[in-house]
Amino acid sequence: MFISTLDLFKPGIGPSSSHTVGPMLAACRFRDEVLAALQTLPAGARVRCVLTGSLALTGHGHATDKAVLLGLHGHCPDQVAHIDIEAEVARLQQLEGFELGGRCFNFRFSDDLVFAMEQRLPEHPNAMLLELRNDQDDVVCCEHYFSIGGGFIHNRAELDGLVAPLKLLPASQYPFPFDSADSMVQMAQSSGLSIAEMKRQNEHFHLTDDDLNKGLNGIWQAMKVCVENGLSSEGELPGGLKVQRRAQRLFRQLQQCEEGPQLHEWLCAYAMAVNEENAAGHAVVTAPTNGAAGVIPAVLYYAWLNRQLSEQQIQDFLLTAAAIGGIIKHKSSISGAEVGCQGEVGSASAMAAAGLCAVLGGSAEQIEHAAEIALEHHLGMTCDPVKGLVQVPCIERNGFGALKAYTAASLAIRDSGQHVMSLDNCVAAMKQTGLEMSEKYKETSLGGLAVNYTEC
C-alpha cells in the first residue's frame, strides 16, 4: 500500500475536498475522455450531470454544482485559487455550452445539472454521472465518478479494482511497504529509521529528493499562507447562515492579552482561520480533507512559531502525518460521507498528533501512540453540517481537533509507547462505527445539528 504525501496533501479550494474539489476534477476528467473520443461523437451533443447521494443532499451548500460547471469549462482546483471564482461562475452560468477540440457541446447550468436527492449508488455515497446525449436524447457516452474523500476520484471500473479505496501495488516496489501501524512500527524498529525517513524512501520510488523537498515545502508554504490569510480577514461567510469570521478578532485579542494567551487559544485561532478560508471558498490544502483542513496547519504553525522548527523538521512533520493518514485511508476512510466526521477531523487530529510527536523527538512507538490517542477521542463523531455548509460545527470542530492532537502528542511523548489499544484497532473501530452509523449523520444534513437549527 502506498499513497504519496503530495497526493494526501493537495492544494485546492473550499469548501469541500469531496464535494467541491472531487467533482471539479471529475468534470475535468470527463472533458479529457470526451476529447479522446471526439471523432466518434455526434455534433451538437448535450452534456448532462446527475449528482446523487451526499453530493445531491449537501451539494448546494458545498458548491458542488458550481464546481462541476467550472470543471466542464476546463478549470482545475489547483489553478483557480487566484481568480475571482464568483465572477467566473456568474459568467459561465449564462453560457449555453463549451468548446472542446474545436467542437461545441451544449450544457445549460439550469437544466443539465440535476440534484437527484432520492438516488444513491451502492458503491459510494458521493457519486455523480456525467453523460453526453445526442439530438434524440440518446446517451452516446457516459461515466460514473465517485468522490471518495480528500479530492480523490475514481470511475466505476477503477472503484471495483480498489481496496478501501486505494490501488494496491506490489509491496516489493517500495523499501518500506507498511500497510498497518503495527508493520510501520516493526519496520522502524528493525531498520533503525524514523517513520519520516521510511516514508521519504518510499516517496523516492516516484520522486527525486529535490522534487519531494520542493513539494513538501510548497505544501507548508500554502498552509502557512492560508493560516495568515484567515487571521487577517473579516466579514460574513457565504451561504446564508450569516456566520461571521472570528479568527481575526480572536487573534487580535490574543496579541493584546496582558496575562498571556494559552496554548488552546492560539491553536483555535489558527485552525479557525484556515476553516474560515475554506468556508469562503478560498485556497486551502486538503489535510487530509477540506472539512478538516485546519487541524494540521494549526498544530504545525504553532510548533513552527514556538519551537523554531527547521525546514527538515517541518518536512518530517508532514511525512509522518502522511504515513498515518495513508494507513487510515487504506484501512478505513477519511470521507465524512462514509464514516462521519471521525474520518475527517478525527483522521486529521491523529495525523497532526503523529507529526508533532515526531518533531518533539518521539520514537515510532510514541508516534503511533499519539495518533491512537487523538483518533480514539473522535470515535463516533457525526458529520451533520447545518444547511450543508462547512461552517457549523466544522470551523470550531477543527480547533478542538487541533487541541486533541497537541494533547495526544504531549501525553505520548511522556510515555514509553506501550498502551492497551493499538492504532490499528482504533482505526478498525472507526470503520465499524462508520458502517453502523445512520446515513443521517454522514454528510447528508438530514440529522443532528442540521435538523435542530431554527432559522430566524
Side-chain angles (χ1 to χ4, degrees):
M1 183 278 298
F2 178 77
I3 179 171
S4 174
T5 307
L6 306 188
D7 286 332
L8 201 58
F9 297 118
K10 295 190 293 293
I13 60 165
S16 172
S17 53
S18 60
H19 287 57
T20 315
V21 175
M24 190 184 300
L25 287 171
C28 289
R29 181 168 166 182
F30 188 68
R31 277 176 58 96
D32 293 338
E33 294 180 6
V34 168
L35 187 60
L38 198 63
Q39 300 306 316
T40 64
L41 299 175
R46 177 170 63 94
V47 177
R48 184 171 180 264
C49 176
V50 180
L51 304 174
T52 70
S54 180
L55 291 185
L57 291 166
T58 60
H60 284 296
H62 289 72
T64 306
D65 48 351
K66 297 174 183 177
V68 172
L69 177 67
L70 288 164
L72 287 176
H73 285 270
H75 291 293
C76 295
D78 60 346
Q79 300 169 352
V80 298
H82 304 295
I83 69 170
D84 187 336
I85 292 177
E86 291 185 10
E88 179 66 358
V89 167
R91 183 183 72 84
L92 297 178
Q93 285 176 332
Q94 305 304 313
L95 302 180
E96 297 290 323
F98 57 90
E99 184 179 326
L100 185 61
R103 298 267 295 277
C104 291
F105 293 88
N106 298 318
F107 180 79
R108 296 184 64 184
F109 181 75
S110 58
D111 299 329
D112 296 321
L113 202 149
V114 179
F115 287 81
M117 301 291 189
E118 304 299 323
Q119 186 176 346
R120 178 186 173 93
L121 298 186
E123 294 93 338
H124 196 279
N126 292 335
M128 57 189 285
L129 168 67
L130 280 161
E131 59 186 14
L132 276 177
R133 291 175 174 260
N134 61 20
D135 291 340
Q136 288 74 45
D137 208 33
D138 299 320
V139 176
V140 295
C141 175
C142 70
E143 188 66 84
H144 284 92
Y145 295 99
F146 302 88
S147 183
I148 62 174
F152 293 90
I153 59 165
H154 294 290
N155 61 26
R156 177 167 273 158
E158 292 167 341
L159 201 68
D160 289 342
L162 300 183
V163 178
L166 298 172
K167 294 179 180 177
L168 293 183
L169 299 174
S172 59
Q173 293 191 8
Y174 298 97
F176 300 98
F178 53 84
D179 59 359
S180 67
D182 184 56
S183 61
M184 177 185 71
V185 172
Q186 288 180 4
M187 289 180 191
Q189 290 172 337
S190 61
S191 68
L193 299 177
S194 69
I195 292 172
E197 288 168 335
M198 293 193 302
K199 183 66 173 172
R200 180 177 286 274
Q201 289 200 25
N202 285 345
E203 297 281 1
H204 286 164
F205 185 82
H206 300 282
L207 297 166
T208 67
D209 206 45
D210 285 344
D211 287 340
L212 178 59
N213 290 337
K214 182 179 178 181
L216 292 172
N217 292 339
I219 289 167
W220 160 236
Q221 288 303 315
M223 288 181 172
K224 180 173 176 288
V225 167
C226 189
V227 171
E228 293 171 351
N229 283 347
L231 292 175
S232 62
S233 300
E234 57 185 349
E236 183 179 298
L237 294 172
L241 276 181
K242 299 183 179 180
V243 172
Q244 297 293 322
R245 285 180 180 255
R246 290 182 290 162
Q248 185 208 50
R249 184 170 67 253
L250 175 58
F251 181 59
R252 286 181 175 176
Q253 290 174 349
L254 296 180
Q255 288 178 312
Q256 298 167 3
C257 187
E258 293 183 0
E259 63 270 23
Q262 301 299 307
L263 161 72
H264 67 277
E265 295 175 302
W266 289 118
L267 286 173
C268 280
Y270 301 150
M272 288 169 61
V274 173
N275 281 85
E276 287 173 357
E277 284 293 282
N278 180 63
H282 294 170
V284 294
V285 176
T286 61
T289 66
N290 282 30
V295 178
I296 291 170
V299 174
L300 181 52
Y301 192 84
Y302 181 87
W304 170 72
L305 277 179
N306 292 275
R307 295 183 176 272
Q308 292 77 51
L309 297 186
S310 66
E311 180 180 294
Q312 183 64 55
Q313 287 177 305
I314 291 170
Q315 292 182 1
D316 287 349
F317 184 110
L318 294 172
L319 288 166
T320 305
I324 298 300
I327 290 169
I328 294 173
K329 186 169 175 60
H330 171 58
K331 298 180 75 69
S332 180
S333 174
I334 59 171
S335 169
E338 283 191 288
V339 296
C341 197
Q342 58 176 352
E344 297 207 26
V345 171
S347 297
S349 187
M351 293 165 66
L356 179 60
C357 191
V359 300
L360 293 178
S363 65
E365 295 89 343
Q366 290 171 321
I367 290 168
E368 185 266 354
H369 190 192
E372 187 279 325
I373 294 171
L375 183 59
E376 178 181 324
H377 296 289
H378 286 88
L379 291 180
M381 184 175 284
T382 60
C383 182
D384 50 354
V386 176
K387 291 189 71 173
L389 300 168
V390 192
Q391 297 178 19
V392 178
C394 317
I395 295 172
E396 287 180 351
R397 187 169 284 177
N398 274 257
F400 281 84
L403 293 177
K404 289 182 182 180
Y406 203 98
T407 302
S410 299
L411 286 173
I413 201 72
R414 296 183 183 279
D415 210 338
S416 65
Q418 295 181 349
H419 51 289
V420 173
M421 183 62 63
S422 71
L423 177 59
D424 288 331
N425 289 341
C426 192
V427 173
M430 182 183 80
K431 182 177 181 179
Q432 187 63 34
T433 303
L435 289 172
E436 296 176 359
M437 187 181 291
S438 169
E439 298 301 318
K440 294 188 297 183
Y441 305 115
K442 293 193 281 189
E443 208 165 359
T444 60
S445 291
L446 296 176
L449 291 172
V451 298
N452 285 282
Y453 161 74
T454 303
E455 191 166 3
C456 299

